[in-house]
Amino acid sequence: MCPHLKLRFWQPTPYSRAAMPSRAGLSLIELMLAVSTMLMIVVALTTMAHGVHAGAEYSNGYGTATQHARVTLDRVSSAVSKTYSCENYPGAWVFADTAGSYTFPDTLVIWWPTTTPANSAGPPLMNELLVFCQDPSDTGTLAEIRCPTDGTPWSAYTNASAMKLQIDKFKTSVGAQKTVVTDLMRVVTLGGLPAGSRTTRPGLRFEVQMTPTLAEMSAYRAGSKTWKSLLWPQGMYGSKTGMRQVSVRTEIQLMPGRVWSANSPGSKTAIPYLGSTAFTTKLTQ
């Protein structure tokens, strides 16, 4: 090795503390902005989660209510299609309660004997009747009521108030057998009623229409109308016989649920369902 050649190795020179770069922290404004941004994200996520929960709850409730409505309307339709009827007892009746200026046609009575009717020309026996109405012990429940042990005849068709009085007693009689059809009916709270009146009613309405009516047939029997002048549906009459048509319409308002965990007023809106069925009866001169 050449004595004049010297090897020199590079060695890092340590930085002094003063020469090292400084690392500054967040300012107060930057910290507040970061916290505000995080809060906005949390609120947005919470709101979205609540909306998703309420939507899912409503969708599930809507499906349940629709299933209840389908069963309810099918049961009413099945009962109406199997009704027995004659000239003075058309097989289907609606009775209404009144309170103040309100009318509540929420009781449907069907003449549905399980065997041959005891009196084919009427009146029906009470144990041959099937009643659809609110459960007397729960406004939000629609019940189907029979009373197999009550063999007394119903009142004459000319005395509507006596007929209704018997039905009102029928609903709460000792021998009454109740079948719950749905427990999702809307409950309406009314104000401005006289003292002692019921302030809650179900979202339920029945309507019965018939042609020719009982009044028209009475007028014909009294000689003030002719057979031909009666309002026969679709001209269904002959020289000695004619067909009376009786139609039963049902409106029921159901809630998507009875108990809600989501605080969403829109999810608690009642859903209306409509149904209609009809049957015909032969009338003779």
Side-chain angles (χ1 to χ4, degrees), residues 95-213:
F95 294 98
D97 291 329
T98 57
S101 59
Y102 299 101
T103 302
F104 308 98
D106 52 13
T107 298
L108 174 65
V109 181
I110 302 295
W111 186 2
W112 189 9
T114 55
T115 59
T116 303
N119 305 316
S120 59
L125 302 184
M126 298 304 291
N127 57 16
E128 297 175 338
L129 299 179
L130 178 66
V131 177
F132 290 94
C133 63
Q134 72 155 77
D135 189 329
S137 61
D138 184 2
T139 305
T141 297
L142 175 65
E144 185 182 282
I145 304 177
R146 273 190 178 274
C147 192
T149 59
D150 189 353
T152 58
W154 205 6
S155 298
Y157 71 96
T158 54
N159 192 344
S161 60
M163 294 174 75
K164 182 181 183 303
L165 181 61
Q166 272 187 282
I167 293 299
D168 289 341
K169 293 180 178 179
F170 176 95
K171 296 177 184 178
T172 56
S173 64
V174 175
Q177 296 180 354
K178 295 188 297 185
T179 301
V180 173
V181 182
T182 178
D183 61 352
L184 296 179
M185 282 199 301
R186 175 192 181 194
V187 177
V188 181
T189 302
L190 305 171
L193 297 180
S197 300
R198 286 179 50 196
T199 57
T200 58
R201 303 296 304 198
L204 178 66
R205 180 183 179 87
F206 296 108
E207 181 180 351
V208 171
Q209 291 185 342
M210 69 182 76
T211 51
T213 64

Side-chain angles (χ1 to χ4, degrees), residues 36-50:
S36 299
T37 302
M38 291 298 296
L39 287 176
M40 292 174 61
I41 293 174
V42 170
V43 171
L45 291 175
T46 302
T47 303
M48 184 174 64
H50 179 79

Side-chain angles (χ1 to χ4, degrees), residues 66-83 91-92 108-112 130-133 141-146 177-183 204 206 248-250 252 274-279:
T66 300
Q67 182 64 24
H68 278 232
R70 184 180 296 112
V71 171
T72 299
L73 298 178
D74 284 349
R75 289 181 77 96
V76 173
S77 178
S78 176
V80 170
S81 65
K82 297 175 182 177
T83 188
L108 174 65
V109 181
I110 302 295
W111 186 2
W112 189 9
L130 178 66
V131 177
F132 290 94
C133 63
T141 297
L142 175 65
E144 185 182 282
I145 304 177
R146 273 190 178 274
Q177 296 180 354
K178 295 188 297 185
T179 301
V180 173
V181 182
T182 178
D183 61 352
L204 178 66
F206 296 108
V248 178
R249 299 187 179 94
T250 305
I252 186 168
L274 306 175
S276 178
T277 188
F279 62 93

Side-chain angles (χ1 to χ4, degrees), residues 87 210-245 282-285:
E87 180 176 321
M210 69 182 76
T211 51
T213 64
L214 295 179
E216 289 174 322
M217 288 302 299
S218 296
Y220 166 72
R221 298 301 181 192
S224 59
K225 273 185 174 292
T226 64
W227 185 256
K228 183 178 181 180
S229 68
L230 296 176
L231 296 177
W232 299 107
Q234 301 178 4
M236 296 186 296
Y237 78 98
S239 58
K240 298 293 183 180
T241 61
M243 300 302 292
R244 167 188 279 164
Q245 184 179 68
K282 185 171 73 172
L283 302 178
T284 58
Q285 287 194 8

